[in-house]
Amino acid sequence: MEAIDDRLSLDATAALAMRRRSTALRLLLMGLIALLLGTVGHWTHAPIWWGLYAGLQLFLVRAEQRAPQWGAAPLYAASFASFAVAGAPAWHMWTQIGAMGPPAAVMFLCGMLAQLIASSLGARRLFLASAAPLVGYLIIVPTLAFGPARPVEALSILACALLLITYLAVLWRGQQRVLESVEHNRWQAERANRAKTEFLATMSHEIRTPMNAVLGAADLLGRTELSEEQQGHVAMLTDAGTVLMQVLNDVLDLSKIEAGMLEIDRAVVDLPAFVQQCASVWRPRALDAGLELRVEIPAGAPRFVVIDPVRTGQVLFNLVSNALKFTAEGAITL
């Protein structure tokens, strides 16, 4: 992933956040290892080693907080130094603890490498900076420990170390490919979403313009001399067009819908007149289908109510439309 302002990538930020959350646990585990090295392994420098490691961990947290000012370089350098210090006991384990030392050293270094693979996410530079000292220990410590006096053992251990490093590298690369695939899919989804938004923005003008022309023509027609029946037809046309325009405005205003900010407009409405007005739009179609569209207002219903006329009109329009669609004969009562 590209870096933000050439400082710290989002992947590195996420990886460091994962490490930060486990800082206390790592300090505790390293403290236990230092205790074992100091008591069982007789390593006199164990307390100094742990103190230096803890100081670097605290500096890493500080460097992450100051990344916008310091940049990424101090973080990578501190991460390199942290793992260089963390892997330092490998030499003592290999050379001073006897037969159990070499396997303990290998487990110690490989455990940290496995933890890096799990926590580095897609932060390649951070992973390489952190893993480099551990890989160096795996190659250098066995070679120097056996020395030129035992070249066969040294070469054998070196070959095993290289195979292990190769295997861990393959695991890490596999993780990177999965992360890259996820990132690519997310990018494709965002691209499709942007295309949808751009399409609706482009179509907005094309749809609203003829609708405004229809409403304008209906208004002009209503100002002419018309019979009462014709005036009713023009009123139905205007009402239905107004509702449709509002629906178009809501659908095309994608930002409001996606942000969950679709507003409800409250207004005092004459309920019987409102319901009759909604029914009048559909009554001609009901008559054409051989159906009767009735409106019943209960005697105890309030005359004036506070509603959103457009939303409530949408609900009633959909209900009546479905009723007309699925009623073969008889009557529909609203």
Side-chain angles (χ1 to χ4, degrees), residues 283-333:
R283 188 165 280 115
R285 184 174 298 180
L287 292 175
D288 290 342
L291 302 172
E292 181 184 359
L293 179 56
R294 306 169 184 161
V295 174
E296 295 182 2
I297 305 295
R303 179 176 178 184
F304 294 99
V305 292
V306 178
I307 59 172
D308 183 328
V310 174
R311 312 295 173 207
T312 309
Q314 286 178 246
V315 173
L316 293 180
F317 272 47
N318 290 335
L319 289 173
V320 176
S321 174
N322 286 336
L324 287 170
K325 185 184 302 183
F326 297 106
T327 303
E329 58 182 13
I332 298 169
T333 303

Side-chain angles (χ1 to χ4, degrees), residues 64-255:
E64 182 186 353
Q65 294 171 345
R66 303 291 294 177
Q69 291 78 34
W70 294 357
L75 271 170
Y76 296 145
S79 186
F80 178 91
S82 173
F83 280 93
V85 170
W91 174 259
H92 181 81
M93 292 179 184
W94 197 284
T95 59
Q96 303 298 322
I97 306 183
M100 65 176 290
V106 173
M107 289 175 61
F108 179 62
L109 294 172
C110 290
M112 284 189 285
L113 278 172
Q115 187 269 337
L116 274 177
I117 292 174
S119 65
S120 292
L121 301 178
R124 294 184 180 86
R125 294 179 183 177
L126 181 64
F127 174 79
L128 294 175
S130 304
L134 301 178
V135 172
Y137 282 128
L138 276 172
I139 295 174
I140 295 171
V141 169
T143 305
L144 293 181
F146 285 113
R150 302 167 64 184
V152 175
E153 290 89 340
L155 289 175
S156 298
I157 293 296
L158 178 60
C160 291
L162 291 175
L163 285 174
L164 180 60
I165 291 168
T166 302
Y167 174 69
L168 292 174
V170 170
L171 286 180
W172 177 72
R173 184 54 188 158
Q175 181 196 54
Q176 300 306 301
R177 288 175 178 170
V178 171
L179 291 171
E180 288 170 0
S181 175
V182 171
E183 178 65 20
H184 178 72
N185 291 338
R186 185 182 67 84
W187 179 79
Q188 291 280 31
E190 290 179 351
R191 181 181 178 185
N193 189 57
R194 286 195 300 270
K196 177 184 65 176
T197 302
E198 292 171 1
F199 171 77
L200 288 177
T202 302
M203 292 301 296
S204 173
H205 176 74
E206 302 300 327
I207 296 176
R208 286 190 177 105
T209 299
M211 276 304 304
N212 282 318
V214 170
L215 290 174
D219 180 66
L220 291 175
L221 182 61
R223 299 171 187 270
T224 61
E225 294 184 5
L226 301 172
S227 65
E228 184 176 347
E229 182 180 3
Q230 290 172 329
Q231 286 285 356
H233 293 334
V234 171
M236 284 192 295
L237 176 63
T238 302
D239 293 339
T242 301
V243 172
L244 179 57
M245 178 62 82
Q246 184 62 51
V247 173
L248 287 173
N249 288 337
D250 291 340
V251 171
L252 295 173
D253 194 357
L254 188 63
S255 60

